Amino acid sequence: ATETHRHSIIQNTMNNLTLSNDNAHFRVANNALNGLTVNNLRGDLTRHNDIVNNEFGGSNSVSFLSNPAQWNVRFVNNTFSGNPSLGSFPNASVAGSFEWSYNTHGIPFVDTESGDPLVYNERENNADQVDAGHPGHEFYDPDGTLNDKGRAGGPFGSANFPDDTGLDAAVFDLELPSDFYQGTSVPVEVKTHH
């Protein structure tokens, strides 16, 4: 199998973030943003393109400006200071999956028709934030509870960085073959490099 790389933009404060002309999957997590524009994304299904646990303010704008070979986006656990403004919704005539779930606001409009190949998933969008995020284990907060929506929640939240926790190391992007729940013991072998 071909290894795929992912570019990560984590824990930043930016006016507007534009992702352009890259052929790698991306993760935009736990940032404070006014707007996000995606000009190009890797659409194969080897990994998701994740936009998770960000705090949108100002214009609250999100745009997808080009059509990939297929969609593979998870837009989850984000907070908005007002209604999201979508400059371009993902083209529903392009196959793949686009998830908009567990955000503080639902998507402003969905332009899909019954014959479109896009698998669109929208669920559990509401104003609740604490322990109200995506229930998947990869989104859990460091204390093992459900994800808190917004910049502080999830595995890339400020509580999981060594400077804030007093820990010597933290684990990021751990991929497990199945779900584990609070109270479950799992033997893990870890190698570290400094």
Side-chain angles (χ1 to χ4, degrees), residues 114-186:
S114 61
D116 288 334
L118 175 67
V119 176
Y120 173 75
N121 185 5
E122 180 177 5
R123 62 180 188 254
E124 301 295 327
N125 294 302
N126 58 53
D128 296 337
Q129 293 188 26
V130 176
D131 294 338
H134 197 291
H137 69 270
E138 71 267 33
F139 299 110
Y140 281 3
D141 289 339
D143 64 1
T145 61
L146 286 177
N147 184 290
D148 293 344
K149 294 177 189 174
R151 189 173 188 192
F156 299 100
S158 57
N160 204 21
F161 282 86
D163 290 346
D164 294 341
T165 63
L167 299 173
D168 292 329
V171 176
F172 299 104
D173 206 12
L174 179 63
E175 294 185 20
L176 300 172
S178 62
D179 288 329
F180 296 99
Y181 300 96
Q182 193 169 356
T184 302
S185 296
V186 179

Side-chain angles (χ1 to χ4, degrees), residues 2 56 83 90 128 173:
T2 303
F56 286 87
N83 288 326
D128 296 337
D173 206 12

Side-chain angles (χ1 to χ4, degrees), residues 41 43 45 64 66-68 70-73 90-91 94-98 118:
L41 68 89
L45 301 178
F64 292 87
S66 65
N67 293 321
Q70 58 187 333
W71 290 105
N72 190 13
V73 174
N91 185 341
V94 176
S97 67
F98 189 93
L118 175 67

